[in-house]
Amino acid sequence: MPELVPGLGPVRRAGAVLAAEGLGPKVLTRSRAQRAVVREELAKRLAKLCPAGPGIRDPDSRAQDDFFGVRRTLSQEPAAVGLPFLIAHLDVLDDAEQSGSDLPKAEWRALFAGAGVLFGDGDDSLGPVPEVGPTSGDRTAALRRWRCGHRLFFVVTQGIVSALSGLARAVSEDDRPTTCSALSAAAALSRGAAAALRFTADFPAEAYADTVRPSMMPPGVPPGFSGVQGPDHRVLVELYRRMGPVFASLDPETWPIRAFQDARPRCSPRTRGSATGSAGARTRAS
């Protein structure tokens, strides 16, 4: 549950333990067969550590979780952030290798940069670049990517929440190392969230119109089904609202606030657009 996400310090310490056991970001650079073994181990640990909770009571949010294949837990274990974070990234790699991708190398680097941030060392340079070709026009593949990409966006969003959760206190205590670390982490994760949205939309427009969009209409889902119904997005937006005065108090000449503000994702791949991003990737803006 996004409102139960632990702070960045405990999450990083838990991530460092996993990395020391060979279950850190470097697994993203392995072969597909090796990644499958690691994914199974990560899933087993997650199931043991965080049994599924009762789910979300709000019917619209529950409908979104059901549609995208999300299971919620009431656990506040720090590893409950890192484990699904890596699982979602492994799924994206598999999907890209199976169905191709038009994302340029810079987008892939941004997509995976947050993995290093959450696993203890603060290294945001890790960015495996899959050797993939043009994105498949297959309708089934488009729907799989739509769901896979959204799950990635959800876990990266929870990473941003983790990074910012202790920022207000750090600023009030003039704790410069913690403040700078939180802002840098949030910036890297925000760039990853934006790249996740572009990956989510990386398939032909006709597949969206013919397959993806109809799947999000009644009777399969409630009327007005939208990504903004998701609890992860809602909690993050509320956090941004509460943190507004804190952000405004930070002098960009002294604190790395501008990089975070520039990196914040401001769109959701909810509707199909014909725009082309600066790096050439297809985008959908809401």
Side-chain angles (χ1 to χ4, degrees), residues 93-116:
L93 274 176
D94 287 350
D95 182 75
E97 291 182 4
Q98 183 175 351
S99 301
S101 174
D102 289 329
L103 289 188
K105 291 184 177 180
E107 294 288 353
W108 278 109
R109 293 191 187 97
L111 190 70
F112 290 99

Side-chain angles (χ1 to χ4, degrees), residues 116-128:
V117 170
L118 288 186
F119 280 78
D121 56 12
D123 178 13
D124 66 355
S125 63
L126 179 70

Side-chain angles (χ1 to χ4, degrees), residues 7-20 23-26 78-79 81-83 85-86 112-126 162 181 185 189:
L8 183 62
V11 168
R12 276 182 164 166
R13 288 191 289 273
V17 172
L18 289 170
L23 298 174
K26 293 189 184 302
V81 177
L83 288 167
F85 192 91
L86 272 186
F112 290 99
V117 170
L118 288 186
F119 280 78
D121 56 12
D123 178 13
D124 66 355
S125 63
L126 179 70
S162 175
S181 178
L189 289 160

Side-chain angles (χ1 to χ4, degrees), residues 61-235:
S61 294
R62 183 184 288 272
Q64 177 168 286
D65 279 359
D66 290 344
F67 179 84
F68 290 113
V70 174
R71 293 175 59 207
R72 301 280 173 180
T73 177
L74 297 176
S75 172
Q76 293 180 271
E77 289 285 345
V81 177
L83 288 167
F85 192 91
L86 272 186
I87 289 172
H89 282 73
L90 289 168
D91 289 348
V92 162
L93 274 176
D94 287 350
D95 182 75
E97 291 182 4
Q98 183 175 351
S99 301
S101 174
D102 289 329
L103 289 188
K105 291 184 177 180
E107 294 288 353
W108 278 109
R109 293 191 187 97
L111 190 70
F112 290 99
V117 170
L118 288 186
F119 280 78
D121 56 12
D123 178 13
D124 66 355
S125 63
L126 179 70
V129 180
E131 294 295 334
V132 295
T135 306
S136 169
D138 180 77
R139 269 55 170 177
T140 301
L143 186 56
R144 183 180 64 244
R145 173 152 304 180
W146 188 252
R147 288 176 163 139
C148 177
H150 271 88
R151 289 196 298 271
L152 176 63
F153 179 72
F154 299 154
V155 297
V156 175
T157 297
Q158 291 202 359
I160 301 172
V161 172
S162 175
L164 296 178
S165 63
L167 181 62
R169 179 175 180 178
V171 171
S172 68
E173 296 177 352
D174 198 28
D175 183 346
R176 185 175 183 84
T178 300
T179 299
C180 291
S181 178
L183 288 172
S184 297
L189 289 160
S190 294
R191 289 190 293 270
L197 291 177
R198 287 187 279 272
F199 175 81
T200 300
D202 183 24
F203 53 82
E206 54 271 20
Y208 179 80
D210 296 346
T211 304
V212 176
R213 183 57 189 157
S215 72
M216 297 186 293
M217 299 177 67
V221 298
F225 184 87
S226 167
V228 298
Q229 297 169 341
D232 307 293
H233 176 269
R234 186 169 59 247
V235 167

